[in-house]
């Protein structure tokens, strides 16, 4: 979840014994780099990223949803070819897996926020035995803020907007969660080794600087969504600037930080470096409030919110 020490004892034994070890580096990141992992494991770790995929397959793989929108719209297609990116990742990883042990490391739990069912299904289809070692995930580690896990509804993902693409389909899930009194975990976008649309089209290996969505950016986009709906006459809004939320940063690390406040307060609150997550609170229990109180940005505002 956070650093090199978070691997389980069982997982470490497998890493040391495997013929090849891959680190999934196309959907999430660790707070430590590849070299630190290799020093801790005492062996080479292969990054399973876009470069590896394209070198092995000779195919340009569009994993960035903000690129999918304009690219596939131009071709009058509703979506990119299913599993295009994952397919070629699996082709590389599964090579010789019927003859030798291959380890595939992910950030968090293998079947948590980002599922890797494709890998399991392909192993089954090709008759390769597999073993899954579970670990901590942001999906359960968020309980550290004091909100009880069984009072969470469906989680959502929030991506960076651009000039041509401002998705808000997740809004309905937040609305439904709030109507049921449930909390919503928002998983925030990361952009690592991404290419601009122009560079993708021209086949140029020029990457944009890494970007990690902050709680501030996520809240700003969320408030723009409700402003748009309000302007369209929607009176049944999922949240507003006074809605209670929780900002989390670098959960599971020594610099972990948690902040509790209104969306308005969260717009300007600095949680520091990545990775960030956001929780939009539903109905809170008094025990949850006792915990949340410890992280309140403004205690007076917090106590007013939970008593109204």
């Amino acid at each position: 979840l956070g650093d090199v020490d978070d691997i389980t004892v069982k997982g470490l034994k497998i890493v040391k014994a495997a013929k090849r070890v891959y680190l999934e580096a196309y959907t999430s990141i660790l707070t430590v780099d590849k070299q630190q992992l290799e020093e801790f494991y005492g062996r080479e770790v292969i990054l399973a990223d876009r470069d590896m995929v394209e070198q092995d397959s000779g195919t340009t793989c569009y994993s960035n949803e903000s690129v999918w929108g304009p690219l596939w719209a131009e071709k009058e297609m509703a979506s990119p070819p299913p599993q295009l990116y994952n397919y070629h990742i699996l082709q590389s990883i599964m090579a010789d897996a019927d003859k030798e042990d291959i380890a595939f490391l992910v950030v968090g739990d293998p079947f948590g926020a980002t599922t890797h069912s494709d890998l399991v299904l392909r192993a089954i289809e090709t008759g390769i035995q597999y073993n899954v070692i579970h670990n901590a995930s942001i999906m359960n580690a968020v309980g550290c803020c004091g909100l009880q896990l069984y009072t969470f509804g469906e989680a959502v993902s929030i991506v960076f907007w651009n000039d041509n693409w401002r998705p808000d389909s997740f809004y309905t899930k937040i609305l439904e969660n709030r109507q049921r009194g449930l909390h919503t975990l928002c998983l925030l976008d990361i952009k690592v080794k991404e290419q601009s649309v122009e560079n993708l089209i021209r086949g140029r290996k020029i990457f944009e600087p890494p970007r990690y969505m902050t709680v501030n950016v996520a809240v700003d986009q969320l408030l723009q969504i409700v402003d748009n709906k309000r302007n369209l006459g929607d009176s049944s809004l999922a949240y507003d600037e006074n809605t209670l939320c929780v900002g989390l940063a670098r959960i599971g690390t020594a610099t972990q930080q948690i902040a509790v406040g209104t969306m308005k307060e969260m717009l300007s609150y600095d949680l520091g470096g990545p990775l960030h997550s956001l929780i939009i609170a539903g109905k809170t229990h008094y025990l949850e409030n006792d915990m949340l109180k410890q992280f309140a940005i403004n205690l007076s505002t917090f106590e007013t919110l939970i008593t109204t």
Side-chain angles (χ1 to χ4, degrees):
L1 178 64
D3 54 38
V4 294
D5 299 314
D6 286 345
I7 191 169
T8 64
V9 174
K10 186 184 293 184
L12 185 59
K13 289 179 179 178
I14 290 174
V15 165
K16 289 183 176 294
K19 183 71 173 180
R20 298 195 310 276
V21 178
Y22 291 93
L23 173 64
E24 182 257 274
Y26 53 95
T27 62
S28 190
I29 63 164
L30 278 175
T31 57
V32 295
D33 59 26
K34 176 175 175 286
Q35 182 179 347
Q36 289 172 281
L37 286 178
E38 291 177 331
E39 290 174 356
F40 185 76
Y41 297 152
R43 62 167 305 148
E44 179 191 15
V45 175
I46 305 167
L47 288 182
D49 63 5
R50 184 170 293 102
D51 273 355
M52 183 196 83
V53 178
E54 293 183 355
Q55 288 168 8
D56 288 355
S57 68
T59 303
T60 300
C61 305
Y62 305 105
S63 69
N64 181 353
E65 292 188 25
S66 65
V67 171
W68 286 352
L71 280 181
W72 296 103
E74 289 175 7
K75 298 181 181 181
E76 298 183 349
M77 296 175 66
S79 62
Q83 311 299 344
L84 175 63
Y85 187 65
N86 283 348
Y87 174 78
H88 293 296
I89 280 279
L90 301 187
Q91 288 283 83
S92 301
I93 292 168
M94 301 290 284
D96 297 324
D98 57 333
K99 306 182 187 71
E100 52 200 23
D101 291 335
I102 309 299
F104 181 68
L105 310 180
V106 304
V107 180
D109 187 83
F111 301 110
T114 302
T115 64
H116 293 87
S117 301
D118 290 347
L119 197 59
V120 171
L121 290 173
R122 187 162 179 78
I124 294 171
E125 289 169 0
T126 53
I128 296 171
Q129 293 184 338
Y130 71 93
N131 187 22
V132 178
I133 310 300
H134 294 283
N135 206 323
S137 164
I138 191 63
M139 301 292 284
N140 56 23
V142 293
C144 65
C145 72
L147 294 175
Q148 299 171 13
L149 294 179
Y150 62 81
T151 57
F152 277 76
E154 188 172 354
V156 302
S157 295
I158 301 178
V159 300
F160 282 111
W161 284 352
N162 60 36
D163 293 338
N164 302 312
W165 199 58
R166 296 163 66 92
D168 63 359
S169 57
F170 54 80
Y171 174 83
T172 302
K173 296 178 182 179
I174 299 174
L175 177 62
E176 291 172 351
N177 285 344
R178 293 268 295 165
Q179 288 173 338
R180 297 170 60 199
L182 301 176
H183 315 308
T184 305
L185 171 61
C186 303
L187 304 170
L188 308 187
D189 201 6
I190 63 172
K191 300 293 186 193
V192 180
K193 297 190 79 171
E194 296 287 347
Q195 294 171 274
S196 67
V197 174
E198 180 182 355
N199 286 329
L200 272 172
I201 293 172
R202 296 180 180 276
R204 296 187 297 216
K205 290 293 229 179
I206 301 174
F207 299 106
E208 301 294 298
R211 289 193 299 156
Y212 309 97
M213 183 178 284
T214 62
V215 163
N216 318 98
V217 171
V219 170
D220 180 58
Q221 291 185 182
L222 286 165
L223 290 177
Q224 287 187 57
I225 291 171
V226 291
D227 283 344
N228 291 337
K229 292 188 178 297
R230 188 181 291 113
N231 292 335
L232 292 172
D234 190 342
S235 59
S236 181
L237 301 175
Y239 52 82
D240 59 31
E241 64 179 14
N242 295 313
T243 297
L244 185 67
C245 57
V246 183
L248 306 102
R250 302 171 304 283
I251 297 301
T253 73
T255 62
Q256 170 178 305
Q257 191 171 351
I258 303 169
V260 175
T262 63
M263 283 193 162
K264 183 177 181 179
E265 290 173 325
M266 213 62 73
L267 273 173
S268 58
Y269 192 81
D270 185 8
L271 281 165
L275 294 171
H276 289 193
S277 300
L278 174 70
I279 302 171
I280 301 172
K283 183 178 180 180
T284 55
H285 186 271
Y286 72 88
L287 287 177
E288 291 179 308
N289 290 334
D290 287 345
M291 279 289 289
L292 292 174
K293 182 178 179 180
Q294 311 308 312
F295 309 110
I297 296 172
N298 184 304
L299 189 56
S300 176
T301 302
F302 173 76
E303 290 181 337
T304 299
L305 273 175
I306 64 173
T307 56
T308 55

